[in-house]
């Protein structure tokens, strides 16, 4: 096949929600662009798969809530149907404890989180501290600390021993939802939203185009992929920082920027979904939500659609995901099912479909839900990446001022990057 060289104004690398959102914003302003995506589909960490029952299910990002304005607006504008996540009835805590004790442990773990978030990220007293080291110094009961560890490792899919305290506080403060982040999901799948955005772009979107090198040259950039090259005035790298750090830049990026990209590590998550003939947990007055303190970062909830089979989704996060992925598919399933049986009873075994998506070390996103900084001294990393090396800029959900690590954050990050680029085309 003949390799082509295409010319455009802006080349965007990565068609996750960040890249799609930037492309949408730039197209609206009449800018010529090319959106280059390594995979044969758009969506990145939002992905859907067909399960064994012929149902299309979200195997990546799925849930959203009323407090995520950009994503909610998009869902509504594209005429999607919101499914309210079933949350009636009791949730189960594991190891099993009495209802009163569960409530006490939960409130105690939330008060650790509030205490943490009351610390200013820049407070010199926490410089160099990881979340684990800080937690060690707290005088809370062991069970409250275990619940806090499980909650944070579950939400961020990263070991507390690696996570700088200032970074977690800085991120956690940007997650501002008051209603549950699991409030809704999209009947047609979150992935269908990405497909709709891609549909607007026509042939400006190029799938199966992994960008390998980015040359900065006078007047612009040249991006080379396995299928050809593109020259542009500006490049926007819409990928998580850890993946961006693996691109080959010529000349090399300024040392501070290369370092700033290199201090991130992808979280580890495995998403498991089971379909059942009946929602047996509901019949027993349970919501289907299970929160494990041990093992930490294991969480389940109901994800049933009215028109499909009742469903449970289980998230395995952080160090637990890294451990369990080594077991292989069959043993991983055994582990998950053993925990679920303990929590919800033997009916849990009667699933009619079992789907598992291992995102650890994902080839094109690195992992999930998001990258986090793992160097306690890298307080300037985000600022350095956002400044970029003009005409090369960077954006991703991780770098969003609101909801970093979420689809909402990706949409916001893409829009902000597009506005920055537009200012270069139309200087005031
Ligand atoms: C299992 C899982 C569950 C999640 N659940 C939720 C949820 O319920 N709600 C929520 O809001 N968020 C959730 N998230 C997080 C959410 O999906 C992400 O924050 C968001 O989708 C990130 O978007 P992005 O565009 O910044 O990055 P990505 O989606 O990672 O997009 C980056 C894109 O760049 C492409 N790419 C990489 N390298 C190259 C290259 N060299 N050349 C060309 N293209 C390249 C990738 O293929 C990818 O498409 C979940 C994530 C996972 C993994």
């Amino acid at each position: 096949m003949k390799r082509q060289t295409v010319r455009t104004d802006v080349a965007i690398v990565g068609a996750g929600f960040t890249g799609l959102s930037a492309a949408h914003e730039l197209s609206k302003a009449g800018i010529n662009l090319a959106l280059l995506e390594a995979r044969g589909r758009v969506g990145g960490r939002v992905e859907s798969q067909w399960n064994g029952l012929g149902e299309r299910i979200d195997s990546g990002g799925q849930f959203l809530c009323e407090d995520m304005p950009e994503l909610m607006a998009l869902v509504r504008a594209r005429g999607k149907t919101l499914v309210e996540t079933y949350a009636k009835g009791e949730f189960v805590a594991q190891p099993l404890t009495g209802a009163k004790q569960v409530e006490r442990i939960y409130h105690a773990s939330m008060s650790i989180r509030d205490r943490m978030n009351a610390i200013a990220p820049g407070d010199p007293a926490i410089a160099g501290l990881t979340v684990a080291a800080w937690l060690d110094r707290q005088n809370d009961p062991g069970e409250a600390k275990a619940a806090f560890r499980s909650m944070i490792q579950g939400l961020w899919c990263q070991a507390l021993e690696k996570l700088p305290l200032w970074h977690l506080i800085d991120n956690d403060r940007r997650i501002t939802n008051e209603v549950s982040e699991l409030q809704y999901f999209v009947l047609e799948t979150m992935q269908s939203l990405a497909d709709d955005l891609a549909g607007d772009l026509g042939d400006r979107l190029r799938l199966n185009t992994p960008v390998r090198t980015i040359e900065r040259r006078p007047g612009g950039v040249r991006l080379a992929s396995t299928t050809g090259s593109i020259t542009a005035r500006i490049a926007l790298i819409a990928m998580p920082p850890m993946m961006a750090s693996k691109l080959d830049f010529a000349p090399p990026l300024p040392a501070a920027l290369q370092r700033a990209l290199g201090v991130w590590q992808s979280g580890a998550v495995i998403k498991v979904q089971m379909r059942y003939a009946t929602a047996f947990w509901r019949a027993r007055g349970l919501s289907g939500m299970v929160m494990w303190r041990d093992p930490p970062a294991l969480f389940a909830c109901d994800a049933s659609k009215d028109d499909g089979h009742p469903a449970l989704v289980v998230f395995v996060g952080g160090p637990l995901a890294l451990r369990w992925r080594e077991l292989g598919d069959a043993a991983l399933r055994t582990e998950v099912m053993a925990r679920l049986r303990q929590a919800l009873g033997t009916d849990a075994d009667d699933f009619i479909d079992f789907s598992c998506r291992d995102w650890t070390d994902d080839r094109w996103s690195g992992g999930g839900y998001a990258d986090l900084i793992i160097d306690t001294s890298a307080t300037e990393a985000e600022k350095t990446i956002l400044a970029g090396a003009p005409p090369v800029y960077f954006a991703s959900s991780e770098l969003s001022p609101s909801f970093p690590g979420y689809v909402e954050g990706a949409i916001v990050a893409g829009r902000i990057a597009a506005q920055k680029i537009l200012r270069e085309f139309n200087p005031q």
Side-chain angles (χ1 to χ4, degrees):
M1 205 169 68
K2 195 165 161 277
R3 289 164 63 85
Q4 316 168 289
T5 301
V6 175
R7 268 169 238 290
T8 190
D9 289 332
V10 180
I12 303 172
V13 185
F17 269 84
T18 299
L20 288 165
S21 151
H24 184 74
E25 202 70 13
L26 291 169
S27 311
K28 246 183 13 193
I31 302 290
N32 290 322
L33 63 92
L35 176 55
L36 314 174
E37 169 55 48
R39 306 184 215 238
R41 60 165 183 84
V42 297
R45 281 171 275 177
V46 168
E47 173 193 87
S48 69
Q49 290 179 349
W50 296 97
N51 70 9
L53 304 167
E55 297 161 337
R56 196 177 175 205
I57 59 171
D58 277 307
S59 42
Q62 175 172 7
F63 295 96
L64 71 157
C65 71
E66 210 63 68
D67 295 333
M68 299 174 173
E70 300 302 327
L71 181 52
M72 286 296 289
L74 192 59
V75 164
R76 291 193 168 117
R78 299 286 166 159
K80 302 292 174 196
T81 320
L82 286 172
V83 180
E84 206 163 327
T85 306
Y86 185 85
K88 294 188 197 92
E90 282 176 40
F91 76 85
V92 174
Q94 287 282 305
L96 263 184
T97 25
K100 278 218 175 96
Q101 201 185 348
V102 167
E103 202 162 308
R104 206 171 42 241
I105 295 171
Y106 174 74
H107 286 298
S109 67
M110 288 307 284
S111 87
I112 300 179
R113 189 173 177 183
D114 291 344
R115 193 185 315 143
M116 178 188 81
N117 283 338
I119 305 171
D123 185 338
I126 63 162
L129 268 192
T130 62
V131 180
W134 176 81
L135 185 62
D136 232 26
R137 298 178 179 183
Q138 306 306 301
N139 286 323
D140 302 274
E143 279 181 330
K145 287 187 182 184
F148 173 83
R149 172 179 285 273
S150 184
M151 170 171 59
I152 300 298
Q153 285 190 176
L155 282 171
W156 297 101
C157 297
Q158 185 57 272
L160 301 195
E161 285 69 18
K162 287 193 178 175
L163 206 47
L165 181 61
W166 62 264
H167 184 45
L168 177 61
I169 298 170
D170 190 26
N171 268 281
D172 221 31
R173 284 179 167 198
R174 300 185 216 180
I175 315 296
T176 51
N177 56 302
E178 290 185 357
V179 296
S180 162
E181 65 186 55
L182 301 172
Q183 186 181 17
Y184 300 122
F185 55 96
V186 178
L187 179 71
E188 299 85 356
T189 72
M190 187 75 89
Q191 168 71 33
S192 74
L193 207 51
D195 288 338
D196 287 1
L197 292 173
D200 295 349
L201 295 173
D203 63 6
R204 286 170 289 178
L205 168 68
R206 288 154 186 265
L207 297 175
N208 302 305
T209 307
V211 171
R212 303 241 181 266
T213 54
I214 298 170
E215 269 174 50
R216 286 178 292 144
R217 24 160 80 182
V221 284
R222 178 175 172 277
L223 294 86
S225 76
T226 43
T227 55
S229 63
I230 288 204
T231 59
R233 256 179 75 180
I234 291 175
L236 174 63
I237 314 301
M239 289 158 50
M242 198 193 83
M243 293 305 292
S245 75
K246 295 181 178 169
L247 291 170
D248 189 11
F249 289 91
L253 291 174
L257 178 52
Q258 193 58 49
R259 254 197 322 275
L261 289 168
V263 296
W264 300 72
Q265 190 177 78
S266 303
V269 64
I270 302 173
K271 185 173 182 179
V272 181
Q273 299 184 65
M274 273 85 55
R275 254 67 191 166
Y276 291 93
T278 57
F280 65 88
W281 55 95
R282 294 187 189 181
R284 289 177 34 212
L286 300 176
S287 64
M289 188 182 287
V290 188
M291 293 189 213
W292 281 265
R293 293 189 301 288
D294 183 19
L298 188 62
F299 175 84
C301 71
D302 189 317
S304 313
K305 299 175 182 178
D306 289 342
D307 68 345
H309 290 96
L312 289 174
V313 56
V314 179
F315 294 98
V316 186
L320 186 66
L322 294 175
R323 242 185 17 249
W324 281 8
R325 74 163 179 191
E326 297 302 327
L327 302 172
D329 293 350
L332 186 135
R333 179 192 293 212
T334 306
E335 286 289 347
V336 170
M337 291 319 302
R339 312 296 161 146
L340 211 55
R341 196 180 316 119
Q342 244 168 16
L344 298 177
T346 50
D347 288 339
D349 285 328
D350 299 333
F351 55 81
I352 50 175
D353 186 70
F354 184 97
S355 313
C356 180
R357 171 64 158 101
D358 178 357
W359 284 88
T360 60
D361 286 336
D362 180 73
R363 181 170 179 205
W364 295 113
S365 287
Y369 312 116
D371 290 5
L372 286 167
I373 291 175
I374 54 161
D375 177 342
T376 52
S377 69
T379 49
E380 296 300 303
E382 188 172 347
K383 212 191 295 167
T384 307
I385 298 171
L386 285 171
V392 177
Y393 293 102
F394 297 85
S396 74
S397 179
E398 286 75 359
L399 306 171
S400 173
S402 66
F403 290 98
Y406 290 75
V407 176
E408 170 77 10
I411 297 170
V412 171
R415 177 165 311 153
I416 292 174
Q419 285 160 356
K420 187 158 42 177
I421 290 169
L422 284 174
R423 283 196 291 276
E424 293 218 2
F425 283 92
N426 308 304
Q428 299 294 313

